Amino acid sequence: MKLSNFNFELPKELLAEHPSENRDESKLMVVHADTGKIEHRMFKDMIDYFDEGDVMVLNNTKVFPARLYGNKEKTGARIEVFLLRELNEEQRLWDVLVDPARKIRIGNKLYFGDDETLVAEVIDNTTSRGRTLRFLYDGAYLDFRRKLRELGQTPLPKYIKRDVEPEDEERYQTIYAKYEGAVAAPTAGLHFSKHLLKRLEIKGIDFAELTLHVGLGTFNPVEVEDLSKHKMDSEELVIDEKATEIVNNAKLEKRRICAVGTTAMRGLESAVSSNHTLNTFEGWTNKFIFPPYDFSIANAMITNFHLPKSTLLMMVSAFMGHDLMKKAYKEAIMEGYRFYSYGDAMLILR
């Protein structure tokens, strides 16, 4: 498979700028990978495809307000700082992206907030836009984190051209988010409402949770035609014993196991044992799934509609079959499905 196999024309108006009015009332395309049949439903209808004892695997990572705006010392130039990951709690070192990057050099200081109580010094270059910052802050560590949250904005993807609105703080977060650490939402999970989760629970569906802190690597463009040469950034992953027990029991009983989102699927496939069961895991994963690929755990997946040439689209293609993926996406464009983070959803059944 080559990068060019994943290109298609996406009309700009299909990129969702806002979420649907109600979480569980976005459109849902249901794709039966075994027969090629495609159905058009609403998201809350997904309950019809699952029975008692089936399992939903949820990624319970929580998005933190990772986008800050500061001013460069002396010139006062406005600089966007996107927090990627904390490198050292004690020294307050962070990996970040800066924009415009050409203005930011080692030794520069950046000032944040009206009172400029938060200052950061650039101590290293990591990539063309990447820098390592040391935050200079007089208070305790918890106060420092509170300050970051206070000054930070919801990290909506760049393609959303509008300003961040108050509703984004709630809507760009799953309702089951628990552990802060993601700089992008696991977007398939955004469609679940409290009411829908309750209905699933009453029907006897089990939930297994893992934590994969989504980094920007998931969205990095693939720049090589030969996919085997693309390297994914590492992301932190935790799968505990409770989750492995729920998943492995369902697998033993030949139940439906549904990965809610590409991040949940990557998490599962990063922790497979030699006999194709799920292991506990605590560490980092840079797993890149593209066709052909033999999936070990999930036999269903909920996912959003992804951008051309994205690693997310490649995983979907590997899961449902490339030709069927192309057919489904062509139909999605014809039917006016909304794409990407705030867009509509697809349920793939194998």
Side-chain angles (χ1 to χ4, degrees), residues 329-340:
Y329 267 61
K330 193 176 174 183
E331 195 159 322
I333 290 167
M334 272 168 35
E335 296 286 337
Y337 276 74
R338 293 161 8 111
F339 276 65
Y340 212 42

Side-chain angles (χ1 to χ4, degrees), residues 167-180:
E167 72 156 358
D168 291 313
E169 191 178 338
E170 184 228 338
R171 292 300 300 272
Y172 195 64
Q173 193 84 270
T174 63
I175 59 167
Y176 47 78
K178 281 183 190 160
Y179 303 112
E180 199 170 79

Side-chain angles (χ1 to χ4, degrees), residues 150-328:
E150 188 188 300
L151 293 171
Q153 283 188 6
T154 302
L156 291 184
K158 277 285 194 190
Y159 82 87
I160 292 181
K161 300 297 182 212
R162 64 176 174 80
D163 288 341
V164 173
E165 293 167 13
E167 72 156 358
D168 291 313
E169 191 178 338
E170 184 228 338
R171 292 300 300 272
Y172 195 64
Q173 193 84 270
T174 63
I175 59 167
Y176 47 78
K178 281 183 190 160
Y179 303 112
E180 199 170 79
V183 298
T187 54
L190 298 180
H191 301 282
F192 285 85
S193 63
K194 286 195 173 100
H195 182 60
L196 179 56
L197 281 183
K198 195 73 199 157
R199 285 174 63 215
L200 287 163
E201 204 182 298
I202 290 164
K203 195 170 181 180
I205 311 299
D206 287 329
F207 297 96
E209 296 185 13
L210 55 77
T211 307
L212 188 138
H213 290 314
V214 191
L216 281 187
T218 301
F219 309 101
N220 274 353
V222 180
E223 288 168 342
V224 286
E225 181 64 8
D226 177 355
L227 299 184
S228 64
K229 293 192 165 50
H230 176 70
K231 294 282 179 284
M232 291 285 279
D233 282 359
S234 291
E235 295 171 320
E236 200 174 351
L237 170 66
V238 178
I239 303 177
D240 65 17
E241 249 170 69
K242 187 182 172 193
T244 56
E245 205 177 296
I246 292 168
V247 168
N248 290 334
N249 283 344
K251 195 169 160 58
L252 197 63
E253 293 173 4
K254 299 193 164 28
R255 302 284 185 189
R256 189 158 262 167
I257 299 168
C258 180
V260 176
T262 55
T263 61
M265 183 69 88
R266 279 184 63 224
L268 291 172
E269 290 297 319
S270 299
V272 176
S273 71
S274 54
N275 61 352
H276 299 285
T277 56
L278 186 63
N279 280 335
T280 57
F281 190 99
E282 190 164 352
W284 296 79
T285 177
N286 62 353
K287 185 118 186 127
F288 175 32
I289 297 172
F290 60 95
Y293 183 86
D294 192 14
F295 290 83
S296 294
I297 306 290
N299 48 21
M301 172 160 69
I302 292 170
T303 188
N304 278 23
F305 288 90
H306 305 295
L307 299 191
K309 295 184 177 180
S310 62
T311 58
L312 310 172
L313 182 63
M314 291 161 195
M315 183 195 291
V316 169
S317 162
F319 191 70
M320 69 192 289
H322 193 67
D323 291 342
L324 184 54
M325 180 276 288
K326 280 176 26 182
K327 178 189 166 192

